[in-house]
Amino acid sequence: MNISIIGTGYVGLVSGACFSEFGFNVTCIDKDKNKIDNLNDGLIPIYEPSLESLVKKNVKAKRLFFSTNLSEHFKNSDVIFIAVGTPTNPNNNKADLKYVFDVASEVADLIDLTDKPKLIVTKSTVPVGTGKKIESYILNYRKELELGKNFEVASNPEFLREGSAIEDFMRPDRVICGAESNFAKSILEKLYRPLNLRETPILFSKRETAELIKYAANGFLATKITFINEISDICEKVGADIQEVAKGIGLDGRIGSKFLHPGPGFGGSCFPKDTRALSEIAREAGSNSRIIDSVIQVNESRKINMVKKIKNALKPLENKSLSILGITFKPNTDDMRESPSLVIVPELVKVVKNINVYDPAGMPIAKNMKEFTGVNWKNNTYECVKNTDGIVILTEWNEFRALDLEKVKKLLNQHVIIDLRNIYKPSSMIELGFKYISVGRGS
Ligand code: UDX
């Protein structure tokens, strides 16, 4: 089977590398020539564990190729994945489908009427009904094309998480396929046969159902995080411990223990964008989205509340110097998209005299972001905390979990740690002589 994947972002590149690892011939296509040149030279544009070795291995095996030119690979492709970005359009909060339809027209132009049909599969997260819209768009764009005879459109949303994307692709909880015809089903079945052999559930449904499963999953997970964040606020007021509350409720099989870690609010390239898009999907369909709307709102105010928490812990703020450990939206990624740090750090810059920042992977991108204007970039944790009056842990990178706390204590002017990820035990920190403020565990 020959596969073309259009868009070499997280989803496209990871899917391409993993499908080639399954043994298929894959060409990853992107308009960005620089990106493709780099990929051909073995330079991976994103920080994702194991991705580089997987790409190199499959390039060497001549199963994985990179190109800017779809037309050169189109004829040989049995299936074309659309994995381009669907960012939020700031004017209406909807997912912007410009790039998706650009691909649809390119594909429509390339279809050979005498050839066997091509399967076009959306892997990007697209609003419910997009599969149908792409189909109508192509039929309208090139009137001589016939559905079924020349092409079909299926949906195959991706659930990978940054930082564990390869593992998520190779060992998913399930694969969702929105495909109605036997032709589409048989291609998707072949593509996912290696996973099926490992007994991964492969669910076939209507396209609209598959499209909604993706939003419903992300909406639910975002709600779960927001819920535990709200419960952590209650914990602080009533003297309960959120870690124990999360464990206590998580052991109920109906609730489950995952995604119950309180923090500074969810960020990243998916949850914020997809909750906003789900709200819009509901509104357009004339349905309610009161829960998701609250989740969006509560998550926004969460970040500002974290600023208040930090200010409170550092009071009085005059002439204070602060160190920030971690700025990416989660560990094991260099992705800064919608990271809580983008709201929290600029608010702190306004009131604190000096801010040092260190992140194991996020700094090259963050250095060019206006949100970090005025901060001092540091090369490691100890350089970062030196001579500051307090530490804020914003991202739970492993290297922050095992700090030499005696050394940290000696380097700090004041022994204050504000841990917004609860990576330390309050009793041990107090014993060591720190003023330790965490989330949902009293003060
Ligand atoms: C998410 C989904 O998990 C994935 O299935 C989907 O395809 C894309 O969106 P990702 O954005 O990579 O993946 O990261 P994830 O690990 O889900 O974390 C998202 C955000 O939620 C992060 O900011 C993280 O810190 C936060 N989070 C997550 C919490 O605050 N608490 C938790 O318990 C879990």
Side-chain angles (χ1 to χ4, degrees):
M1 178 106 63
N2 294 321
I3 305 171
S4 282
I5 301 189
I6 307 176
T8 52
Y10 260 101
V11 172
L13 195 53
V14 170
S15 306
C18 292
F19 276 132
S20 64
E21 179 70 11
F22 286 173
F24 300 118
N25 288 321
V26 180
T27 308
C28 291
I29 318 252
D30 205 293
K31 290 233 176 306
D32 185 339
K33 187 174 177 309
N34 197 23
K35 208 176 191 181
I36 293 298
D37 287 346
N38 282 338
L39 282 163
N40 277 323
D41 290 341
L43 295 171
I44 310 297
I46 49 175
Y47 175 94
E48 184 62 42
S50 317
L51 181 60
E52 188 170 339
S53 53
L54 201 67
V55 167
K56 285 190 171 150
K57 178 183 165 196
N58 285 288
V59 166
K60 201 170 166 207
K62 300 209 181 318
R63 286 193 296 259
L64 181 60
F65 306 90
F66 298 101
S67 168
T68 51
N69 196 340
L70 176 63
S71 62
E72 280 172 11
H73 305 273
F74 190 79
K75 194 162 178 57
N76 278 331
S77 304
D78 302 289
V79 49
I80 295 106
F81 279 98
I82 304 183
V84 294
T86 53
T88 304
N89 178 337
N91 300 325
N92 57 17
N93 265 346
K94 290 190 202 173
D96 187 346
L97 296 179
K98 179 186 178 308
Y99 305 111
V100 171
F101 286 107
D102 282 352
V103 174
S105 9
E106 201 180 345
V107 167
D109 279 330
L110 291 170
I111 291 176
D112 179 345
L113 296 175
T114 61
D115 217 349
K116 59 181 191 228
K118 301 284 185 199
L119 184 65
I120 302 160
V121 184
T122 52
K123 238 193 193 311
S124 313
T125 302
V126 289
V128 180
T130 303
K132 194 160 194 53
K133 277 191 191 149
I134 294 174
E135 196 175 281
S136 316
Y137 178 87
I138 292 179
L139 288 171
N140 199 34
Y141 183 87
R142 225 181 122 192
K143 297 256 180 330
E144 67 271 36
L145 292 178
E146 275 180 50
L147 190 63
K149 190 171 166 208
N150 305 118
F151 77 101
E152 279 196 28
V153 182
S155 157
N156 173 219
E158 191 45 69
F159 296 90
L160 57 84
R161 287 165 301 174
E162 292 180 22
S164 55
I166 305 292
E167 181 66 15
D168 286 348
F169 194 99
M170 293 296 193
R171 295 180 203 285
D173 291 330
R174 78 310 200 185
V175 173
I176 302 294
C177 299
E180 285 149 67
S181 74
N182 289 335
F183 162 72
K185 274 186 202 156
S186 70
I187 290 195
L188 288 162
E189 261 162 12
K190 271 187 210 141
L191 281 175
Y192 287 108
R193 215 176 113 72
L195 294 182
N196 204 12
L197 294 173
R198 288 188 202 151
E199 307 207 338
T200 304
I202 316 271
L203 264 60
F204 282 92
S205 65
K206 274 183 71 183
R207 246 180 346 212
E208 287 75 7
T209 306
E211 289 165 344
L212 188 56
I213 286 172
K214 171 71 190 193
Y215 283 106
N218 278 356
F220 188 84
L221 292 170
T223 305
K224 204 171 174 189
I225 298 166
T226 308
F227 178 82
I228 205 68
N229 283 342
E230 198 158 272
I231 297 292
S232 80
D233 286 346
I234 301 174
C235 282
E236 287 182 12
K237 300 275 185 219
V238 302
D241 182 324
I242 190 63
Q243 298 301 123
E244 289 169 21
V245 171
K247 190 168 182 195
I249 63 171
L251 284 170
D252 183 329
R254 293 169 300 177
I255 296 174
S257 58
K258 292 183 179 160
F259 275 68
L260 287 179
H261 303 290
F266 60 78
S269 63
C270 290
F271 287 169
K273 166 174 82 74
D274 292 351
T275 44
R276 289 191 293 262
L278 181 55
S279 170
E280 270 314 302
I281 290 167
R283 199 185 57 75
E284 279 202 341
S287 191
N288 280 320
S289 59
R290 289 194 296 255
I291 293 177
I292 285 299
D293 294 345
S294 302
V295 166
I296 297 169
Q297 216 178 24
V298 173
N299 194 58
E300 284 309 310
S301 44
R302 178 90 188 154
K303 298 174 235 174
I304 295 298
N305 290 344
M306 292 299 109
V307 175
K308 288 186 193 147
K309 192 180 178 86
I310 297 165
K311 285 184 185 170
N312 235 349
L314 284 178
K315 256 184 341 201
L317 290 165
E318 288 79 47
N319 295 323
K320 284 279 161 73
S321 175
L322 191 62
S323 39
I324 308 267
L325 298 182
I327 48 171
T328 49
F329 81 101
K330 67 174 205 177
N332 298 326
T333 178
D334 61 355
D335 200 336
M336 291 299 303
R337 280 176 288 178
E338 307 223 24
S339 173
S341 68
L342 297 176
V343 174
I344 295 171
V345 173
E347 286 301 314
L348 293 173
V349 168
K350 284 184 202 160
V351 290
V352 177
K353 192 176 164 220
N354 175 63
I355 296 193
N356 292 351
V357 177
Y358 168 66
D359 185 281
M363 297 195 298
I365 293 177
K367 279 180 181 169
N368 297 316
M369 298 178 91
K370 64 176 187 329
E371 285 82 356
F372 294 95
T373 311
V375 308
N376 311 307
W377 299 104
K378 299 291 172 181
N379 293 321
N380 61 56
T381 302
Y382 300 103
E383 201 181 289
C384 185
V385 304
K386 193 174 173 194
N387 293 332
T388 61
D389 302 302
I391 299 172
V392 179
I393 300 173
L394 275 186
T395 316
E396 68 280 32
W397 284 91
N398 271 343
E399 64 177 83
F400 303 148
R401 291 178 188 271
L403 297 177
D404 178 345
L405 291 167
E406 286 297 347
K407 185 172 172 183
V408 167
K409 218 171 134 189
K410 282 193 195 123
L411 290 169
L412 281 173
N413 292 337
Q414 293 189 40
H415 305 147
V416 182
I417 299 192
I418 305 141
D419 173 6
L420 299 184
R421 298 289 185 169
N422 289 359
I423 58 177
Y424 285 100
K425 244 175 116 179
S427 55
S428 322
M429 297 304 274
I430 290 162
E431 214 167 284
L432 278 164
F434 284 103
K435 177 180 172 186
Y436 176 71
I437 292 112
S438 56
V439 180
R441 303 193 285 183
S443 59

